[in-house]
Amino acid sequence: MASRNQSAIGPDEKLLLLILGVLVAGMILLGMVFGVANGIASGISGFLLEAGLPAEMSRDLGKVVHWVVVGLLFMGLVKVASQIFG
């Protein structure tokens, strides 16, 4: 029979699990940020296209809106993180 100490998780494994958890959470958060930005940019671009703006200009404005929203979301996340950890 195995003793209780053999099934315990050591400090190295705990650190590895913590790092992997942070990486997975970061990737999920990154996907959510880009998903929200794509949705907002697509909506605005589609609205401008239906309003009569040429397709190329509408696409370009959609790209600008996408990166502005990504930047704003990251700035918001940094602000929240600084309030929590600072």
Side-chain angles (χ1 to χ4, degrees):
M1 251 186 130
S3 69
R4 291 189 332 184
N5 289 338
Q6 289 178 343
S7 64
I9 297 176
D12 291 339
E13 288 87 7
K14 286 182 183 178
L15 180 63
L16 180 64
L17 287 173
L18 177 67
I19 291 171
L20 289 174
V22 168
L23 285 174
V24 168
M27 293 299 287
I28 290 171
L29 190 61
L30 189 65
M32 288 174 61
V33 165
F34 276 93
V36 168
N38 281 337
I40 292 172
S42 175
I44 291 174
S45 179
F47 172 76
L48 292 174
L49 187 62
E50 288 180 11
L53 206 62
E56 184 177 326
M57 190 179 291
S58 175
R59 253 182 273 123
D60 290 341
L61 285 173
K63 289 178 185 178
V64 169
V65 168
H66 174 267
W67 288 110
V68 166
V69 171
V70 167
L72 289 174
L73 286 173
F74 276 127
M75 286 176 24
L77 288 172
V78 167
K79 177 126 176 104
V80 167
S82 71
Q83 292 292 322
I84 291 173
F85 299 114

